[in-house]
Amino acid sequence: IIIPNTIIHTFSETFAHMSNQESKRERVCDLLNALVTPKEISKIVGVSIKTVYNGKKRMTMNQKTYFLKIHAPWDVLATYADVLKIKVPFKASDIPHGQDVPLEWLSHPFRLPEHIMRPVPDYFTYPFDKGKTDFFLINDKDTFFPPSTRNRIVFYILARCPYYKEGRNDREKTGIKRLLSNGTYTAAFPLHDCRYWKRARNAECESERYNLYKHWARFLCFYKEQPLNLIRKYYGEKIGIYFAWLGFYTEMLFFAAVMGLICFTYGALSYDDNISSKEICNDSIGGTILMCPLCDKKCPFWKLNSTCLSSWQSHLFDNEGTVFFAIFMGIWVTLFLEFWKRRQARLEYEWDLVDFEEEQQQLQIRPEFEIRCTNRRLNKITQEMEPYLPITSKCARFCLSGATVLFWVCLIVACIIGVIAYRLAVYAAFASIIKDPMRKIQVVGRFITPQLATSVTASCINFVIIMILNFFYEKVAVWITDMEIPKTHLEYENRLTMKMFLFQFVNYYSSCFYLAFFKGKFVGYPGEYSYMFGGLSKLRNEECDPGGCLIELSTQLVIVMAGKQLWGNIQEALLPGRKGRHHPENHYSRWEQDNVLLNFSQLGLFYEYLEMVIQFGFITLFVASFPLAPLLALFNNILEIRVDAWKFTTQFRRPVASKARNIGAWQEILNAVAILSVVTNAFIMAFTSDMIPRMVYLYAYSEKSNMRGYVNNSLSVYNISQIPEAHMPEEHDSWMDNSTTCRYRDYRYPPGHEREYKHTMQFWHILAAKMAFIIIMEHVVFVVKFFVAWMIPDVPSDVKARIKRERYLTQEYLHNYEVERLKLQLSASFITEPPSEMTSPTDKHEILSECL
């Protein structure tokens, strides 16, 4: 615990008359021990406090900072291990790790040394009982509790230790967190065991930090497995579970990335079979089709072959393989979640988390809840008085919290509407600049169409808005969650998780939902166009490119997803540089080197999970529009694992260890995203992709059972003379003087027909086919999902057997222990009790038999 310089100077002036500087420093520290609560802690819970100096009774190197080293002796550790029900070993495990796997030698290049993968032997464990210390395998009291358990116990004590004077009711003066917030202490952290780049000098030190850096944190180890047991031992179960989930997610991404790459390759190799694009690019077909203006006044008439490049690009993602890939990803998501449950169950067993229930841990109550809730009531279960928040206060806080979240969600929607308005307004500007992409003087026009320029710039602006809103909302979400005063740490994290994910969901995905399900769906037709905000504005609703809106959705997905991942990696790579490696240990102590490192906040893992879950949404909700999304995510995650490992081992102070048996509320969020992804991909394939109209034409309207003539069939005809003057382009090109009609993307009857400009029967056939495709695809994928989930048990059979065997052996071993203990007690009573006529040896044996 580090004391700021201001307090030091204040106390130093008190003893200015002392000439001996060493005595002065000693007296200052004595006074600090008296006034800044270490003695209170020592008196209340028995934690011993040491004032630590660097070297031989000297101050720290900067001559400003004082350190208080807190050490918990055996009695304190044993007491709180009993209170916290910490599981400790009582017998070596006799269950083998597993059977030999065929072709196991193929995995040798990816494996780590055995002492790194399994830093401690396997034991049968049981909750610690201070009254039965001889039941447990206590070889050395100094090393019986691992460092992660010791620092968790000490922090638990410090977080609840009051420092107000006896007789005064000042309950807010409780806990190390308050002392940190008001500046009494500047930091409080557990110490690393050694330098990360070099082993500890003490041969007895295990140098776990060095091993983690050497075998885990270096990027050259990206192809190696993670030392999860060592991570758990050094950082605790909660951080270990995160890296286990991230590693498993990355492994499963490999299969999705391979399948997406195959789908993309199929689209690239099937260029020659893409008859629709050939017709668009053909001068005798696409070059003769005059298209109606895409906006009022500023947009000219244009030739269909000007979209030749975008039609080829659309084919890369919008082909027959995309349907298969969308179905595959629906099944992949289920396999990922089900196999993760099995992996998580195995970790729960191996890490002694089977019986750990956060909801039942009343000891997990947040100190802030205990301090701020002054009302007390009787707990019906424990029959003890406990703090509680009145229902009126709770409702008022929830209403304010809900209103705040709703306001920010509405703000996001307003920003998205603003971006849509930008798209509508700027499209006309780009169209006036890039009038005819086929003109030779417009060099960039061959590659940049108004649609592409609008889509790219709008996506970039949307990404900037997303980052700005994220920055502000993160602070707001923490503030309103603190205001709600959740009772437990688990409840606090779950509430913050739901608030942040709801906001991030709307923030990141709303623009993609607009492109996928709204753009080009409510356009109207020439002479009867639909406008944004009805007739209140002159912004005409956007139309899709003749190749479809899928390419724009792909562009949006690439910019937002890749931009977010790139921005996150840049932020992590540009962490403030640390000078710890240049500080030799003979001049700088372990605590001084750790003091210059970054602090790992309680919500540090929360943001890591949030980043990955948002990425999970991108590769599942809209993967049908961009099959390469899993590949990008795979490359990002390979880098993410090593960057996070590097941060933990080199840039962060050692965090306080904490337990967690699973990934918490994120599991339910992943399940919800997985179900929603089936629906969104089905709708994308039906309404955003051009696949269903092509299939209907191929099987119902094509004369030769091929795609020739599809482009002409998908475009309706409109009489140019019927276009209102307010909608006509300001400038006319000479090559359209002889044209009397223009084409637009829809299925409507031509001019002169008795049902002029009404939807044709083909439109309704296509709509029925789209709805049928959605129903069939959803049902097929959901049936397969539920069948796979039913077939794959959440807990592996060997893990169930091991849990049952361990419980059986634990009960048997505990029973034998109690019997032996009872025998010793009765034997001792035989020796100490005087002979009596009333009690015979036979009676003694009867009593013993009844007890047994």
Side-chain angles (χ1 to χ4, degrees), residues 19 57 85 88 93-94 355 367 525 578 583 647 670 709 742:
S19 58
K57 286 289 185 180
K85 303 300 179 186
V88 294
S93 174
D94 59 356
D355 298 321
Y525 61 94
R578 297 298 162 199
H583 291 170
K647 288 190 305 181
L670 292 175
C742 64

Side-chain angles (χ1 to χ4, degrees), residues 47 70-72 77 149-159:
V47 180
I70 299 182
H71 166 73
L77 292 174
T149 300
R150 293 203 301 269
N151 72 56
R152 187 161 68 96
I153 290 174
V154 170
F155 186 79
Y156 176 85
I157 295 170
L158 293 178

Side-chain angles (χ1 to χ4, degrees), residues 7-18 24 28 31:
I7 295 180
I8 299 296
H9 284 317
T10 302
F11 293 140
S12 296
E13 292 174 0
T14 307
F15 306 107
H17 63 278
M18 289 186 178
K24 183 189 298 185
V28 168
L31 190 57

Side-chain angles (χ1 to χ4, degrees), residues 1 3 29 33 49-55 57-60 65-71 191 589-592:
I1 302 181
I3 306 167
C29 288
N33 283 342
I49 308 298
K50 297 179 181 178
T51 303
V52 180
Y53 296 94
N54 183 38
K57 286 289 185 180
R58 293 186 290 111
M59 291 179 66
T60 55
T65 308
Y66 283 80
F67 293 81
L68 290 174
K69 185 178 179 181
I70 299 182
H71 166 73
L191 297 177
S589 60
R590 173 79 269 135
W591 42 88
E592 288 180 278

Side-chain angles (χ1 to χ4, degrees), residues 676-702:
L676 182 61
S677 68
V678 178
V679 180
T680 56
N681 284 304
F683 272 85
I684 287 173
M685 294 309 303
F687 288 98
T688 310
S689 168
D690 205 32
M691 185 200 67
I692 300 298
R694 290 200 299 262
M695 294 298 101
V696 171
Y697 175 80
L698 178 64
Y699 294 109
Y701 291 89
S702 175

Side-chain angles (χ1 to χ4, degrees), residues 157 251 448 745:
I157 295 170
E251 291 172 9
I448 302 178
R745 184 179 172 84

